[in-house]
Amino acid sequence: MSDVNIREVPPQDWSFYKSVRLSSLEDSPDSFGSTYEQEVLLSDAEWQARLDLKLRGLSALPLIAELDGRAVGLAWGVMHEPDTKIAHIYQMWVCPSLRGRGIAKSLLCEISTWALNKGCERIELAVTTINEAAVSVYTSYGYTPTGPIEALRAGSALMVQPMVKRLVAAAKPENTL
Ligand SMILES: CC(C)(COP(=O)(O)OP(=O)(O)OC[C@H]1O[C@@H](n2cnc3c(N)ncnc32)[C@H](O)[C@@H]1OP(=O)(O)O)[C@@H](O)C(=O)NCCC(=O)NCCS
């Protein structure tokens, strides 16, 4: 979608990030390991710290999709050091009124490019098995199931399927050093 802008969320936009993250948890309670009830209790300092990647020593790409200045999508790419070969995707969400227009694919594309530039060999995520829309998005973008399903969270009957996409760096053209 040409009118949707995808950008990295800087630490000073923590309040903006907080509002879209809480919206996503409220809208899609079966899609995430965390819950609205847990995260609505976080203090402002904790929301600020989440985006302070330097303070956390975290290599991550927190992305927001915006339309006319309104947050309409969210996703994080995260590398858990010392394992620098794997990037993970968390918090993927697109607002209901704008689904099916390629926003999730654009977010995935940005994270793939970031992960490749970081030297990662694959990207991993976990998706609730009954979440047909998300499974379809990931499948159409080259993710395949890997490993056994596991509980979404303690005490939940919902299960998540780990998925992986192997990254292939673009081949260098011949005759280049
Ligand atoms: C899953 C989600 C992020 C998809 O966002 P989206 O912007 O609508 O997805 P896209 O428009 O980029 O769709 C990408 C692909 O998935 C397919 N797809 C999207 N929604 C679909 C649906 N409901 N059913 C079947 N296929 C679907 C599209 O056809 C497209 O494939 P194509 O390009 O090969 O045609 C969105 O539905 C959402 O936010 N759901 C609630 C939160 C959630 O489940 N997050 C995932 C956590 S793992």
Side-chain angles (χ1 to χ4, degrees):
M1 271 178 82
S2 56
D3 44 358
V4 170
N5 177 45
I6 292 181
R7 68 175 174 97
E8 185 171 353
V9 199
Q12 63 268 25
D13 283 0
W14 64 269
S15 179
F16 192 49
Y17 162 69
K18 171 184 172 179
S19 66
V20 63
R21 172 63 173 162
L22 288 178
S23 297
S24 70
L25 290 167
E26 213 170 9
D27 169 72
S28 307
D30 293 344
S31 295
F32 305 107
S34 184
T35 64
Y36 177 83
E37 290 71 21
Q38 283 172 334
E39 298 206 8
V40 78
L41 297 177
L42 296 178
S43 67
D44 285 352
E46 286 170 303
W47 284 103
Q48 285 172 49
R50 199 179 266 197
L51 279 182
D52 195 336
L53 305 180
K54 274 196 189 136
L55 183 80
R56 296 173 68 192
L58 188 66
S59 186
L61 181 70
L63 291 176
I64 276 196
E66 283 175 320
L67 181 65
D68 300 329
R70 185 171 66 98
V72 296
L74 176 68
W76 282 65
V78 177
M79 243 169 62
H80 295 296
E81 294 194 32
D83 194 345
T84 54
K85 296 293 173 203
I86 308 172
H88 301 261
I89 292 181
Y90 301 115
Q91 302 188 19
M92 171 68 75
W93 179 79
V94 171
C95 81
S97 62
L98 289 170
R99 287 182 190 159
R101 297 167 73 170
I103 296 176
K105 267 200 166 175
S106 299
L107 290 163
L108 289 173
C109 188
E110 292 283 332
I111 292 172
S112 282
T113 303
W114 170 80
L116 261 175
N117 288 337
K118 287 278 176 192
C120 294
E121 293 174 355
R122 59 186 198 270
I123 306 183
E124 295 183 356
L125 54 82
V127 58
T128 312
T129 53
I130 58 167
N131 189 345
E132 286 176 24
V135 171
S136 171
V137 171
Y138 298 134
T139 302
S140 84
Y141 201 64
Y143 287 79
T144 54
T146 180
I149 57 171
E150 47 201 65
L152 172 67
R153 64 180 85 93
S156 173
L158 294 167
M159 303 301 284
V160 292
Q161 171 66 63
M163 297 186 88
V164 65
K165 176 177 170 140
R166 293 187 196 284
L167 298 173
V168 184
K172 281 187 183 172
E174 283 180 30
N175 303 325
T176 54
L177 294 176

